[in-house]
Amino acid sequence: MTAVAITGFGIVSAAGADRQSFARSLFEGHSAVGDVALPRSFGHRAFRAAQIAELPARAAEMAGHGRAYDRFSVLALLAAEEAIAAARLDEDDLANGRTSVLIGSGIGGATAIDDSHYGLYVENRRPDPLTIPRLMANAAAALLSRRWGCRGTVLAIASACASSTQAIGLGMGLIRSGLADRVLVGGAEASLTPAALQSWQAMRVLTSTHCRPFSARRDGMVLGEGAAVFVLESEEAAGRRGAPLVAHLLGYGTAADAGDIIRPDPAGAAAAMHAALADAGLSPREINHVNAHGTGTRLNDAAEAEALESVFGPLVSRVPLSATKPIHGHTLGASGAIELAATVIALQQGLAPGTLGFDEAPGDFRLSVSASNQPIAGPIGLSNSFAFGGVNASLIVAVPSVALPTVSS
């Protein structure tokens, strides 16, 4: 299939408010996990997550009307602003029917939902008239469309932790089919609310210590918030304007377990990876780096390890693998986009970021988990996202042979 150009991307997360600061956190092993500041509490439990400490003062002004947009939409806008600047696009490039917007989010306007329910049930307060526009799942995609006049397909993807990976894959499809010249794709999530944190705790999947993907002592995940947005363009559209080439998206695969809504099935994850490889026309031996979904939960990591071993066979012990959630937290619907950004950065630098907290793998895992930064021997990477509901999605990306300047340590 036809490769699709990535001409720019942007990130906002607790681990860095732009590409460069995010890259430094990845390679220097700076975790953004800390105590969560909540607007109100329920009970006496203190939560830890990767929470963005402070948004730029211009964020509300960028959105137009501060109370009209939920936090997840503002994060998407900030990431898109960086992506568009990096792609060297102007208003005229975007304001047309050939530009589409696809943004994934597992929950959407979680802050608006939590605030409105608290106001109604606890404070007996009339809901804000703008509550629905804030909380709707397509609010972020609609905001980006409005901000830059994008009049093509505008779509929200909600498939839990695979949301933004599927958004990116579908964006590739729009360009390949000729339905768009360029697409703003990615994901955004801001669900660190009192009710959401209590609900995750009730599932008993949050770590009581540290997130340790693929480690024998792993005991759960740590949540986060953030957004990442990519500019995808057809080769023709990018070439016409002399666009910078950051990377190529080569393949996308998705598959459903059609089984348990929570317990992952290794066969479904393996099917998504096989589909991405087939789409890219590649064999497993041509993959130089894997960014794993790697939540740090016992079931997810075991299922992903089994799936990777099924796909790669004996090669699995030689492909450098990173799991970056201990740095930026599990950003749910935004995780696929943020981790694709981490994959691109890793390939650009020729280094697989160390998996923070990794110590000793279980005896039956044959993965080459990067305990510290380790070299990558080529330009092609695989990024995985596996979600509740049995949704699995994988992307394959390649950087140009000449890497960008290295990140200073």
Side-chain angles (χ1 to χ4, degrees), residues 25-108:
S25 292
L26 288 180
F27 293 116
E28 295 174 9
H30 291 163
S31 175
V33 177
D35 293 337
V36 177
L38 294 172
R40 52 190 167 267
S41 62
F42 182 83
H44 302 288
R45 179 178 174 81
F47 290 96
R48 288 174 59 78
Q51 184 180 40
I52 298 170
E54 186 175 359
L55 295 179
R58 60 190 171 82
E61 181 181 347
M62 286 171 56
H65 302 285
R67 73 189 187 100
Y69 299 104
D70 189 88
R71 185 177 176 89
F72 95 106
S73 295
V74 175
L75 294 181
L77 188 65
L78 290 168
E81 182 187 55
E82 184 184 21
I84 289 167
R88 302 176 197 159
L89 288 166
D90 59 30
E91 300 280 346
D92 291 338
D93 295 317
L94 295 165
N96 55 65
R98 299 291 298 169
T99 302
S100 295
V101 182
L102 279 71
I103 300 296
S105 182
I107 299 173

Side-chain angles (χ1 to χ4, degrees), residues 28-32 211-213 215 323-324 326-327 353-358 370-371:
E28 295 174 9
H30 291 163
S31 175
C211 182
R212 301 183 180 92
S215 295
T324 57
I327 300 288
T355 299
L356 194 65
F358 178 77
S370 54

Side-chain angles (χ1 to χ4, degrees), residues 98-311:
R98 299 291 298 169
T99 302
S100 295
V101 182
L102 279 71
I103 300 296
S105 182
I107 299 173
T111 302
I113 294 169
D114 199 79
D115 287 348
S116 65
H117 288 180
Y118 185 83
L120 182 64
Y121 296 127
V122 177
E123 298 178 332
N124 197 28
R125 175 166 43 87
R126 176 178 177 269
D128 189 303
L130 293 176
T131 296
I132 299 302
R134 280 203 303 267
L135 65 82
M136 62 189 191
N138 70 321
L143 174 57
L144 269 56
S145 168
R146 175 186 173 213
R147 167 65 182 82
W148 283 286
C150 309
R151 292 180 170 82
T153 299
V154 177
L155 187 62
I157 307 297
S159 47
C161 308
S163 299
S164 55
T165 299
Q166 290 196 319
I168 294 165
L170 292 173
M172 291 175 65
L174 288 179
I175 290 175
R176 284 172 165 177
S177 65
L179 294 174
D181 288 336
R182 62 184 54 86
V183 190
L184 304 181
V185 295
E189 202 81 84
S191 60
L192 300 180
T193 66
L197 288 166
Q198 291 283 354
S199 298
W200 280 106
Q201 178 60 32
M203 289 189 70
R204 298 185 178 181
V205 295
L206 300 182
T207 178
S208 59
T209 55
H210 300 284
C211 182
R212 301 183 180 92
F214 300 108
S215 295
R217 294 190 298 141
R218 67 191 188 280
D219 66 353
M221 67 183 194
V222 62
L223 295 171
E225 62 178 353
V229 172
F230 295 79
V231 177
L232 306 186
E233 299 189 65
S234 66
E235 295 279 7
E236 182 181 0
R240 278 199 303 265
R241 65 182 191 86
L245 176 60
V246 175
H248 275 115
L249 277 173
L250 303 181
Y252 165 63
T254 187
D257 294 349
D260 194 291
I261 198 169
I262 295 173
R263 188 181 184 92
D265 183 348
M273 287 185 269
H274 279 303
L277 288 164
D279 186 38
L282 296 173
S283 70
R285 68 177 59 255
E286 294 172 279
I287 300 298
N288 307 116
H289 172 53
V290 173
N291 185 295
H293 187 58
T295 63
T297 62
R298 301 201 72 81
L299 289 178
N300 176 86
D301 288 4
E304 186 169 10
E306 183 177 337
L308 285 163
E309 291 171 14
S310 170
V311 172

Side-chain angles (χ1 to χ4, degrees), residues 322-344:
S322 300
T324 57
K325 286 182 173 69
I327 300 288
H328 52 72
H330 191 343
T331 55
L332 306 178
S335 62
I338 289 174
E339 289 163 34
L340 181 65
T343 306
V344 171

